[in-house]
Each structure stands twice: as structure tokens, then as C-alpha cells.
Amino acid sequence: MLELDDIIELQTNSQTEKLSFATRYLVQINFTFDLKVRSGDFSGTSHFCVRRDEIESFCKNLLDLYSSLKGSARIEDNDSDGFVEFSIEPNGNLYVNGQVGGTYEEQCMKFKFKTDQTCIPRFVQDFNKLLLNKNGNY
């Protein structure tokens, strides 16, 4: 296990809409994050676990979305039904929605907010820096 403390934050230019993945550790090919979301007056935090290949695919889909201004990109928590999804309109409005925590838990939060596509390159760049970490072994 490799302990990490990187924070990957979506730059939304808003104090009321925030999304971040605070990296906790890497075990073999599995990253564990604290997913933190603020959407309006609501906020939530939950563990979010994904494999390296899922992050790579998510980043590729985000860059495709950014360059074509169409489509969506989604990443899902492997330990619950939590997820984060980006979808875009042709005018560049970017919608970020998802669920923090699992529906089976005592508390979970669904969220949706609007930002613009200019936040995507830095977000992907930060994930790619994280992927430079080698596999965490037992």
C-alpha cells in the first residue's frame, strides 16, 4: 500500500460548486479517494475507489468531450453505487452530476451543477500526474 495525499480539484470558478478527489492510497492498481462535493448549500464526502484503467478511460473520455463539445464521461465507485458524470452541451456548458456515497448507506447525496469546459484540461492533467505513481504493493 502506498499512502498518497494529492488533491485533484475541478476548477469551477465558483464558491458554491466544487468537486475534488483527495487521494488516500494506492493498493496495486486500486486508488482510494475521499470524494468531496459542494453543490449549492449541500455538501458531502465519501470514499471513492477506482482502478487505474478506469481513471485512464475517464480522462480519455473527458478529453474527447472537451475537444468535440459533445458526449459524456463517467467514473463509478467500485465499492458502492456512487459515481461522477460530466456531460456537455454544444455551447460549452458542462454539467457535473453524480452521487456521493452509496444508496445503501445511512446518508448519501445526489448532486448536479453547471460549469464550463475550460476546467477539463487541468483536471485531466492532475489525474495524469497521479497516475505516475507506481503500483502500491502489500
Side-chain angles (χ1 to χ4, degrees):
M1 178 171 79
L2 177 63
E3 290 186 30
L4 303 169
D5 63 357
D6 298 324
I7 297 177
I8 300 167
E9 186 173 339
L10 183 69
Q11 303 297 316
T12 63
N13 300 319
S14 170
Q15 295 301 315
T16 59
E17 280 81 29
K18 294 187 175 281
L19 171 73
S20 68
F21 288 81
T23 313
R24 294 296 161 230
Y25 48 87
L26 168 63
V27 177
Q28 296 178 349
I29 61 169
N30 300 293
F31 287 89
T32 297
F33 301 94
D34 284 339
L35 173 63
K36 296 182 181 189
V37 175
R38 180 173 177 88
S39 182
D41 291 334
F42 296 95
S43 63
T45 302
S46 179
H47 286 291
F48 197 88
C49 301
V50 293
R51 292 187 321 267
R52 176 181 297 277
D53 64 308
E54 293 169 324
I55 295 171
E56 291 168 348
S57 179
F58 179 60
C59 288
K60 180 193 176 304
N61 292 339
L62 280 172
L63 290 176
D64 289 346
L65 182 146
Y66 177 72
S67 64
S68 68
L69 294 182
K70 62 183 176 183
S72 63
R74 181 178 173 118
I75 192 163
E76 298 178 350
D77 180 14
N78 290 326
D79 292 338
S80 76
D81 56 351
F83 68 95
V84 174
E85 183 174 45
F86 289 65
S87 58
I88 198 160
E89 294 179 342
N91 64 4
N93 286 334
L94 180 67
Y95 290 92
V96 181
N97 71 300
Q99 179 177 297
V100 178
T103 53
Y104 61 88
E105 296 180 69
E106 245 180 71
Q107 297 180 357
C108 70
M109 182 185 95
K110 292 187 178 186
F111 67 92
K112 183 175 185 177
F113 60 82
K114 182 174 85 169
T115 187
D116 65 78
Q117 82 279 7
T118 60
C119 64
I120 292 174
R122 170 109 185 254
F123 192 62
V124 169
Q125 180 182 31
D126 290 346
F127 267 115
N128 284 331
K129 285 181 189 173
L130 175 69
L131 292 173
L132 294 175
N133 287 291
K134 299 298 177 198
N135 294 348
N137 295 315
Y138 290 106

